[in-house]
Amino acid sequence: MKIVAFFGSKGGTGKSTLAHLLAYGAALHGQPALVVHTDDREPEIHDSRPYHYFDGRDPKRLYAVLERAKTGGEGLCVIDGGGNRPGLDRILAKACDLILIPCGIGGQDAPMALRDLERLPGAWIIVNRFPLSPGHRRRPKAEDYIAQLPRKRILCRLGESAAVDRFTEPDTRPWTAPPTRVNNAARALYRKVRDKLAQSSPSPDPHPGSG
Ligand SMILES: Nc1ncnc2c1ncn2[C@@H]1O[C@H](COP(=O)(O)OP(=O)(O)OP(=O)(O)O)[C@@H](O)[C@H]1O
Ligand SMILES: [Mg+2]
């Protein structure tokens, strides 16, 4: 499996939501996927979804699951990072194939994402809750705001969607598919990540055994 992490020192930027959205997107593409909870808070119960959920709060269990994921065939293992713990993020980053930093569109979001990017060079920013529709009244201000971010380090922009809260709520009923626009956002996020992973992986030797 490839290991992808959502990190960032600011709380509430969408780390957990996007970790689930990405794993769900992988599942919609027929890929095995796992979200690893690393937050200090109690994990939610997510037991009826098309991807797995793992409590990785204990470092020993966390490293064991990452080790298994690395050698475990196809699919995505997505780490849901907790806010404001740069030390642990730096250690975990070494195990990751891709690091993503969600960034909102106001207040201290961009300055904090920039600081995270300095700490985690090679990470990519996902602009979250961006008014995607070109005619949206908040769009010009949002464009100005994200101009503070290095354009080349932005992986993609995701829109605001009320229906995403359910990803980080416990499953009190069996899982049912979210609205189409959420499924589409999950698929699009997965494809962005998959393509970025493909670019950053070393290309396989076209002539194995010939050297
Ligand atoms: N694209 C989005 N559209 C609408 N709401 C969103 C979106 N992304 C995140 N949210 C909402 O923002 C809130 C914070 O998101 P989330 O819990 O994923 O952030 P977090 O970075 O994991 O926070 P923490 O640092 O506390 O772990 C949640 O209520 C979530 O539903
Ligand atoms: Mg969270």
Side-chain angles (χ1 to χ4, degrees):
M1 285 181 142
K2 294 286 187 192
I3 301 179
V4 177
F6 285 88
F7 288 147
S9 32
K10 186 162 189 302
T13 53
K15 295 177 288 294
S16 303
T17 305
L18 301 188
H20 284 271
L21 193 70
L22 175 59
Y24 179 54
L28 290 177
H29 275 84
Q31 291 292 306
L34 165 69
V35 171
V36 183
H37 172 94
T38 65
D39 209 300
D40 292 338
R41 290 168 285 196
E42 276 298 303
E44 306 287 354
I45 296 159
H46 304 302
D47 57 2
S48 66
R49 305 195 178 184
Y51 55 89
H52 297 284
Y53 185 65
F54 182 85
D55 179 0
R57 286 176 300 165
D58 170 46
K60 267 198 188 140
R61 275 167 59 84
L62 173 62
Y63 295 129
V65 81
L66 294 182
E67 204 46 53
R68 265 207 311 281
K70 263 211 180 311
T71 51
E74 289 219 320
L76 271 194
C77 170
V78 189
I79 301 176
D80 171 11
N84 207 11
R85 38 165 221 198
L88 179 60
D89 289 357
R90 251 197 310 267
I91 296 170
L92 284 178
K94 294 193 184 124
C96 294
D97 296 293
L98 187 67
I99 295 169
L100 302 170
I101 302 171
C103 176
I105 53 161
Q108 286 301 302
D109 291 43
M112 286 181 82
L114 284 171
R115 241 172 288 149
D116 291 330
L117 209 50
E118 271 171 32
R119 282 191 302 113
L120 300 164
W124 292 85
I125 292 176
I126 296 189
V127 177
N128 192 19
R129 311 184 79 161
F130 188 82
L132 291 176
S133 132
H136 198 292
R137 65 181 170 79
R138 284 176 32 235
R139 172 88 179 220
K141 209 170 154 200
E143 291 278 10
D144 273 358
Y145 185 81
I146 67 163
Q148 309 174 57
L149 299 166
R151 224 189 158 85
K152 286 189 176 157
R153 300 308 301 175
I154 297 179
L155 181 69
C156 60
R157 302 169 180 189
L158 293 177
E160 173 84 22
S161 165
V164 294
D165 337 3
R166 59 179 286 194
F167 280 107
T168 51
E169 282 165 7
D171 292 340
T172 48
R173 273 170 284 163
W175 175 263
T176 49
T180 306
R181 65 176 187 286
V182 174
N183 285 337
N184 290 344
R187 282 197 190 89
L189 176 61
Y190 171 71
R191 285 196 296 263
K192 283 276 176 199
V193 165
R194 179 194 63 189
D195 294 351
K196 189 50 73 187
L197 283 166
Q199 283 170 20
S200 49
S201 309
S203 9
D205 180 355
H207 306 293
S210 65

